[in-house]
Amino acid sequence: MNKEVKPAPAPGASRHRGPCPSESRHPIPEGSPDRDPAGKLDDEDYPAYSMGHAAEILGVTQAFLRSLDAAKLLTPGRSEGGHRRYSRYQLRLAARARELIDQGTALDSACRIIILEDQLAEARRINTELRHTHRNSTEGPGGPERD
């Protein structure tokens, strides 16, 4: 058997010529937020990082990221080809998990700690927002209420 081996594309080179196949099948409508790449750059929930890139950024193995997925700490998005895609928010959670595990915390315990920390941060954010809303509604347009 003599199979032809094709060289890998140079780093940064496209594997195909012309427009991206998904773009030609599913054009992005005019006025869609997906047409504005700047919006995606600011969105910390946008799944912008491949598993390899995420692992490289965090200094972890891809197996570590898969273990966080299996432990239900992260649920990465999927590309059209089914590959995992991670957001900046998920990278922060994974970095925190790595930190806890490096300190000797078991994976399941680390995941539970991170989930609780995240819930606490969200509850504090909501509490602050409600206090601000309540303060503004009691002060009214004429300033603070007086008894």
Side-chain angles (χ1 to χ4, degrees):
M1 283 186 170
N2 188 6
K3 291 187 177 181
E4 181 182 337
V5 177
K6 295 181 182 178
S14 176
R15 290 179 184 248
H16 54 78
R17 305 259 185 251
C20 175
S22 64
E23 289 175 8
S24 60
R25 285 194 313 262
H26 306 289
I28 299 171
E30 208 58 49
S32 167
D34 288 342
R35 275 221 182 256
D36 178 20
K40 291 179 185 178
L41 293 174
D42 292 338
D43 184 359
E44 72 172 25
D45 293 319
Y46 181 72
Y49 301 95
S50 67
M51 177 182 276
H53 194 194
E56 181 181 329
I57 289 169
L58 296 170
V60 300
T61 64
Q62 292 181 18
F64 176 73
L65 291 173
R66 283 191 293 274
S67 72
L68 297 180
D69 188 6
K72 307 266 190 267
L73 178 64
L74 305 178
T75 305
R78 297 285 180 157
S79 68
E80 285 186 24
H83 300 283
R84 288 174 174 90
R85 305 288 294 183
Y86 295 89
S87 68
R88 288 184 308 177
Y89 172 73
Q90 290 171 327
L91 293 185
R92 279 197 301 279
L93 294 180
R96 177 69 175 133
R98 178 82 266 164
E99 179 184 318
L100 289 170
I101 290 167
D102 287 347
Q103 293 172 1
T105 307
L107 175 65
D108 290 344
S109 299
C111 292
R112 185 69 180 141
I113 289 167
I114 293 165
I115 290 167
L116 290 170
E117 287 174 342
D118 201 49
Q119 289 173 344
L120 178 60
E122 178 68 5
R124 286 179 171 163
R125 184 196 63 76
I126 291 169
N127 192 11
T128 300
E129 185 178 296
L130 290 173
R131 284 181 184 197
H132 179 74
T133 302
H134 178 70
R135 187 178 312 123
N136 287 343
S137 67
T138 59
E139 289 178 1
E145 286 184 11
R146 295 187 181 171
D147 289 330

